Amino acid sequence: MPRPTQARGVSSDASQLASWYASVPVVTRAIVTATVTTTIAARLRVISPFMLGLYWPLVWNKFHIWRLLTGFLIHKFNVNLFNTIVMFIMLFQYTVDLERGEFAGRTADFAWFIVFCMGAMSAVTWLTQTMCLAEGVLMAVITLWSLHRQEQIVSFYFGFKFPA
């Protein structure tokens, strides 16, 4: 009996994707997966983006405690799709690099770094009323990454090169 070769290739591709996903460090996998799924759900209007942003009056008065987390998982929904995809790629690249480099074997330390940054940004948003904070988490990760790689030359858009 002949075997269906295409079905075999599909399952092989799925298992390769699953093994790659499992090889991503834990904190990176959690942050990137949550950010991508939350932002996509908001962009597709599966859930209203206004139900996800960090808005302090609703946290205090209506007990919307999920906003303390989802505000950091949603990318601004008024920007184009290209910027959102670039943000996802950068978030993945720099968090993987930090978690496998400076925080290798110290997953709790990396998670604490992210939680501390979220707490500090939450305190600032009390004054600024910023609702979507995923870019803030990305900037914190990039800042730490560049502090550890000050002499490394990086390439930016269109091949511009400069120190990290």
Side-chain angles (χ1 to χ4, degrees):
M1 178 167 194
R3 295 181 194 167
T5 56
Q6 191 165 12
R8 186 176 181 181
V10 170
S11 66
S12 174
D13 292 342
S15 68
Q16 285 179 348
L17 181 63
S19 65
W20 169 81
Y21 184 74
S23 73
V24 174
V26 177
V27 176
T28 299
R29 187 171 52 225
I31 290 171
V32 173
T33 302
T35 302
V36 169
T37 55
T38 305
T39 302
I40 288 174
R43 276 192 168 276
L44 295 176
R45 303 288 191 232
V46 173
I47 187 166
S48 171
F50 300 105
M51 289 297 297
L52 301 173
L54 179 57
Y55 186 59
W56 283 105
L58 291 177
V59 172
W60 288 114
N61 299 332
K62 302 268 185 177
F63 204 60
H64 289 190
I65 58 171
W66 67 86
R67 291 176 182 271
L68 295 171
L69 178 64
T70 58
F72 293 96
L73 301 177
I74 185 168
H75 188 254
K76 289 188 268 187
F77 36 88
N78 61 346
V79 297
N80 65 27
L81 185 60
F82 178 74
N83 288 346
T84 304
I85 292 171
V86 168
M87 190 207 86
F88 292 154
I89 292 169
M90 290 175 67
L91 183 65
F92 177 78
Q93 176 184 354
Y94 292 114
T95 54
V96 163
D97 213 15
L98 279 174
E99 199 167 359
R100 287 185 177 158
E102 285 70 30
F103 291 99
R106 298 178 9 213
T107 303
D109 290 344
F110 187 59
W112 176 245
F113 164 73
I114 298 294
V115 169
F116 179 80
C117 290
M118 289 174 153
M121 284 184 264
S122 293
V124 172
T125 62
W126 180 264
L127 302 171
T128 63
Q129 296 299 315
T130 306
M131 294 178 69
C132 300
L133 302 162
E135 286 180 353
V137 173
L138 175 62
M139 290 302 116
V141 168
I142 289 174
T143 300
L144 184 64
W145 181 89
S146 64
L147 286 172
H148 286 283
R149 291 164 179 78
Q150 293 178 3
E151 301 302 319
Q152 182 175 336
I153 302 298
V154 294
S155 180
F156 199 58
Y157 292 113
F158 310 111
F160 294 113
K161 296 181 187 248
F162 52 89

